[in-house]
Amino acid sequence: LYFAAMKISPSLFAGLIAGALFVQPAGAAEKLLPPVSVDAVEEGGGRIEKLLEGALELVGIRYRRGGGSVETGFDCSGFVGHVFRERLGLALPRTTHQISRTGEPVPHADLQPGDLVFFNTLRNAFSHVGIYLGDHRFVHAPRQGRAVRVEDMREHYWARRYNGACVVPPAPQHA
């Protein structure tokens, strides 16, 4: 009943809570963050809810370089591509750099849930991508030995490496 009144599905709410439990910077003790705000998720309507729900359902799937499926694991661009394809029917380019050129740039102050956020993790601009959740958090496939997880963009590591963001336009509607 609470979920219906808040216009959020129980599975999305559970995913947001579970996602917050996976935040753990490398070498740090586990830390918990409050769940992503419900209002932020509602703003994009069903499209954004489907996208975020799909991304958060994959938390815990292992990282695999070049991976793009639940069965094989994901790298960052494979993860983002899988979520957009499965949840929204959008085919994104395969590499992070190509994905960064797909959408419209978004200023950091204007980030909305569902936007793509990019980082310089390999000494190359736009070498890592994740999906913004709201409240300074994003979900991504980080690196070998890790799994899909939620992180806080204010963490020193991510804040120093932030390159920018874009919004991916919806697929064209065919009559």
Side-chain angles (χ1 to χ4, degrees):
L1 196 53
Y2 172 79
F3 300 115
M6 297 303 291
K7 297 181 183 171
I8 188 167
S9 71
S11 61
L12 177 58
F13 185 78
L16 294 172
I17 299 271
L21 299 178
F22 278 85
V23 176
Q24 184 177 356
E30 184 173 352
K31 66 190 234 184
L32 303 178
L33 294 174
V36 173
S37 111
V38 173
D39 293 335
V41 175
E42 289 178 358
E43 288 177 10
R47 175 180 184 262
I48 299 303
E49 182 174 329
K50 283 174 33 177
L51 182 73
L52 299 185
E53 186 176 61
L56 291 170
E57 286 174 358
L58 300 173
V59 167
I61 301 294
R62 69 186 173 100
Y63 178 93
R64 180 170 181 181
R65 183 177 171 92
S69 73
V70 173
E71 296 78 26
T72 64
F74 295 106
D75 65 9
C76 66
S77 58
F79 166 72
V80 167
H82 176 86
V83 173
F84 273 77
R85 182 177 55 257
E86 295 299 315
R87 289 302 178 131
L88 302 181
L90 291 173
L92 297 180
R94 181 60 182 105
T95 70
T96 301
H97 196 264
Q98 292 168 333
I99 293 171
S100 73
R101 296 178 177 187
T102 300
E104 292 295 317
V106 175
H108 190 272
D110 296 336
L111 282 172
Q112 295 293 315
D115 290 346
L116 297 180
V117 288
F118 298 92
F119 303 88
N120 177 343
T121 58
L122 299 174
R123 298 181 191 199
N124 287 317
F126 302 98
S127 55
H128 189 72
V129 63
I131 301 171
Y132 187 68
L133 298 172
D135 295 334
H136 308 283
R137 279 176 251 151
F138 70 106
V139 60
H140 68 127
R143 63 183 169 92
Q144 196 68 36
R146 302 285 181 168
V148 173
R149 60 198 270 165
V150 174
E151 306 254 19
D152 189 316
M153 291 174 59
R154 295 171 296 189
E155 290 287 333
H156 183 71
Y157 179 86
W158 297 111
R160 282 187 16 201
R161 290 167 174 80
Y162 179 76
N163 283 142
C166 74
V167 59
V168 176
Q173 300 297 318
H174 300 289

